[in-house]
Amino acid sequence: MARAVSETHGEILAAAARRFAVTGYRGTSLQDIAGEVGCSKATVLYHFANKEALLAELMAPAIAVLRALDDRLTGLTGVAAQRTAAEGFVDLAVRFRREIALLRGEFPELLAQPAFAHIQRISERLRDAFAGHSDRPAAQISALVLLAGIPEACAEFVDVPDDELRPALLTLIRRALEPVEETPPPTTEDKEP
């Protein structure tokens, strides 16, 4: 009896996740995934146009959460931007740490793919929010280190319970980032004639 289409689809996704974890995205072929599922490469291609489409579907839930965080950051400045970025990014990294672990070391190459091009722009806005929209080099450097380090820590400590990992990361962020001063909008007296 043939497997149901949705069952096969799910098995392909699960096999791809396992293969990516063992041999990396680059080191995994569609044939490898098909072999793990016990189907043909043609069956994999029936469900997914290519390996990139498979990865995009695996990462879709995490990307949806990242986009929602990006939307929440719109219009926030200073401490509000820092706090929202920190809490939202830590929640995302902890929740999706297994997916992050699958792609360790391959993010730069993956961000170059058209399906993930928007992630680079969101990451830049997120870094700016972590910095409290400050252009001070120290604020920008701290923000970049945190954005790179938080996913790495989540991938490394995949077995640490969420209720331990999340507060540890938030404490680290509070220590690493200087709160920025809220700058009120300019008044008519502040403007040059």
Side-chain angles (χ1 to χ4, degrees), residues 85-152:
E87 291 174 1
F89 190 66
V90 165
D91 288 344
L92 181 145
V94 169
R95 179 177 170 192
F96 296 103
R97 59 184 145 159
R98 283 174 173 66
E99 290 82 351
I100 291 168
L102 297 177
L103 304 173
R104 254 174 132 173
E106 297 187 83
F107 281 114
E109 180 183 320
L110 295 174
L111 290 176
Q113 293 181 16
F116 298 102
H118 62 289
I119 301 298
Q120 185 64 39
R121 292 186 298 278
I122 292 173
S123 295
E124 289 164 3
R125 289 191 295 271
L126 190 56
R127 184 190 69 215
D128 199 38
F130 261 96
H133 299 288
S134 170
D135 58 357
R136 289 179 312 111
Q140 289 290 322
I141 291 166
S142 294
L144 181 61
V145 168
L146 288 169
L147 279 175
I150 288 169
E152 187 65 24

Side-chain angles (χ1 to χ4, degrees), residues 38-61:
C39 67
S40 68
K41 182 177 171 184
T43 299
V44 173
L45 289 169
Y46 171 80
H47 289 273
F48 299 95
N50 51 38
K51 190 166 71 166
E52 292 80 16
L54 210 161
L55 179 64
E57 188 166 327
L58 270 175
M59 299 306 292

Side-chain angles (χ1 to χ4, degrees), residues 2-193:
R3 291 182 275 202
V5 171
S6 63
E7 183 181 328
T8 302
H9 190 88
E11 288 175 0
I12 293 169
L13 281 173
R18 286 189 301 272
R19 294 298 305 183
F20 294 162
V22 172
T23 58
Y25 175 77
R26 283 178 292 204
T28 300
S29 70
L30 291 176
Q31 187 61 52
D32 295 334
I33 295 166
E36 181 144 338
V37 174
C39 67
S40 68
K41 182 177 171 184
T43 299
V44 173
L45 289 169
Y46 171 80
H47 289 273
F48 299 95
N50 51 38
K51 190 166 71 166
E52 292 80 16
L54 210 161
L55 179 64
E57 188 166 327
L58 270 175
M59 299 306 292
I63 291 170
V65 171
L66 182 63
R67 284 184 173 184
L69 174 58
D70 189 41
D71 290 344
R72 286 196 318 270
L73 290 169
T74 301
L76 296 180
T77 60
V79 174
Q82 283 181 318
R83 183 176 35 255
T84 301
E87 291 174 1
F89 190 66
V90 165
D91 288 344
L92 181 145
V94 169
R95 179 177 170 192
F96 296 103
R97 59 184 145 159
R98 283 174 173 66
E99 290 82 351
I100 291 168
L102 297 177
L103 304 173
R104 254 174 132 173
E106 297 187 83
F107 281 114
E109 180 183 320
L110 295 174
L111 290 176
Q113 293 181 16
F116 298 102
H118 62 289
I119 301 298
Q120 185 64 39
R121 292 186 298 278
I122 292 173
S123 295
E124 289 164 3
R125 289 191 295 271
L126 190 56
R127 184 190 69 215
D128 199 38
F130 261 96
H133 299 288
S134 170
D135 58 357
R136 289 179 312 111
Q140 289 290 322
I141 291 166
S142 294
L144 181 61
V145 168
L146 288 169
L147 279 175
I150 288 169
E152 187 65 24
C154 287
E156 180 68 26
F157 298 103
V158 75
D159 294 327
V160 174
D162 293 0
D163 61 347
E164 289 180 39
L165 185 59
R166 185 178 190 281
L169 292 171
L170 290 172
T171 298
L172 170 72
I173 291 169
R174 281 192 293 279
R175 289 178 183 162
L177 295 179
E178 297 175 16
V180 293
E181 300 271 333
E182 295 289 340
T183 51
T187 64
T188 53
E189 297 146 10
D190 296 334
K191 293 183 181 177
E192 293 181 21

